[in-house]
Amino acid sequence: MTVTQHSPVASPRHADAAVPHGAVLPALFVSHGAPLFALDAGTTGPALTQWGAALRQQFPQLRGIVVMSPHWMARSLQVMTGPQPATWHDFGGFPPALYQLQYPAPGSPALAQEVLALLNAAGLAAQGDEARPFDHGAWVPLMHLFPQADVPVVQVALPAQAGPADVYALGAALRSLRSQGVLVVGSGSMTHNLAEFFGGVREPAPYVLEFSRWIESALVRGDLQALLNYRTLAPHAHRAHPTEDHFLPIFFALGAAGDDLHTSYLSREVMYSMLSMDAFALQAAH
């Protein structure tokens, strides 16, 4: 697999994402793309880095990150509890340099216990996993967001049988963390049909743009029901996501964000013609 050029998508409304002022952190959705995103950052990586630096300035009380990635799917609800999770290179066939990368952010057993308590209080039975490493769906985007790797990170598993409403409920159970110095992140992919990956320099596939902008329109309208039912309402939903796993983390961010939202886009880049790298922050509209 070779490093390719990227096709940026023209930015419509609210193109420049700003980190909000106030005591409550935003929730964040990021597309982590292919593992090579760690090295081949396109325009999305620098946008995440800039946003992360601005967040640190405006929220110096940032004490941790809670992230969900589709690369940790479990039969039951699990939460990372280890103090120093390893960096897992959970992929094959990429350049050797990719396997040398490490993201040595600490875990946070204390924050993990808070997460477990909130989930269990919401009736969502969860257990800790002390041995869980960071998979690339977590460490690759975090490497761009917080390159110093100095913010403690706790990862939450995506339950294997969960649907959009289930994942939304998981995020909603953790909503209070945003007012306690914790950034809640859903890491997935706005589009993810790897059967259509051919490499090379190619224009964004039209269906990728149509699906991504339909989702953006629903976000801007605050139409949660449309988003929860995207599988039947969004154009090309099954082509954009032959399986739901890489889209479901968007609902983790939406649940953590709650109602009355303003959506600020960090990126609308498309890589390899078929991977939409959309990333956006969600915060209160007032």
Side-chain angles (χ1 to χ4, degrees), residues 6-10 12 29-34 37 41 43-45 48 186-194 196-197 202-216 219 235-236 239-241 246-247 250 265-280:
H6 313 298
S7 302
V9 180
F29 173 77
V30 295
S31 295
H32 61 254
F37 178 48
T43 60
T44 302
L48 295 181
S187 171
S189 190
M190 183 55 68
T191 60
H192 195 259
N193 189 338
L194 295 185
E196 297 190 6
F197 174 80
R202 304 172 66 218
E203 292 297 313
Y207 85 89
V208 169
L209 302 182
E210 291 175 29
F211 176 84
S212 300
R213 301 288 66 80
W214 187 94
I215 296 297
E216 179 177 1
L219 286 167
H236 317 292
R239 185 178 179 188
H241 290 280
H246 271 71
F247 193 69
I250 196 174
Y265 265 68
L266 285 65
S267 177
R268 297 181 184 83
E269 183 178 18
V270 176
M271 290 183 170
Y272 315 116
S273 172
M274 39 61 69
L275 274 180
S276 173
M277 297 296 293
D278 282 17
F280 53 82

Side-chain angles (χ1 to χ4, degrees), residues 223-236:
D223 194 342
L224 178 60
Q225 289 306 309
L227 292 165
L228 289 169
N229 292 286
Y230 84 99
R231 207 76 177 149
T232 56
L233 297 178
H236 317 292

Side-chain angles (χ1 to χ4, degrees), residues 9-129:
V9 180
S11 298
R13 305 174 305 277
H14 57 274
D16 296 326
V19 179
H21 293 277
V24 180
L25 274 83
L28 183 66
F29 173 77
V30 295
S31 295
H32 61 254
L36 265 181
F37 178 48
L39 296 173
D40 188 17
T43 60
T44 302
L48 295 181
T49 301
Q50 182 179 11
W51 188 87
L55 187 82
R56 295 291 292 271
Q57 287 186 336
Q58 295 195 26
F59 292 90
Q61 73 273 29
L62 178 66
R63 67 181 180 95
I65 301 163
V66 175
V67 60
M68 174 180 283
S69 155
H71 295 284
W72 185 15
M73 296 187 72
R75 293 183 180 179
S76 60
L77 187 53
Q78 305 285 323
V79 176
M80 170 191 286
T81 59
Q84 193 65 59
T87 302
W88 184 20
H89 301 86
D90 52 330
F91 42 75
F94 290 92
L98 192 57
Y99 300 90
Q100 303 304 312
L101 296 176
Q102 296 290 316
Y103 191 74
S108 176
L111 177 56
Q113 291 305 316
E114 293 179 56
V115 171
L116 285 165
L118 288 169
L119 291 172
N120 284 299
L124 303 166
Q127 297 179 327
D129 184 339

Side-chain angles (χ1 to χ4, degrees), residues 113-175:
Q113 291 305 316
E114 293 179 56
V115 171
L116 285 165
L118 288 169
L119 291 172
N120 284 299
L124 303 166
Q127 297 179 327
D129 184 339
E130 190 172 0
R132 177 69 192 181
F134 295 130
D135 60 63
H136 79 273
W139 68 262
V140 168
L142 289 176
M143 188 186 71
H144 294 298
L145 280 163
F146 304 107
Q148 299 88 354
D150 58 346
V151 183
V153 180
V154 171
Q155 193 167 345
V156 177
L158 173 61
Q161 303 304 316
D166 303 309
V167 180
Y168 184 92
L170 294 177
L174 304 181
R175 192 176 299 164

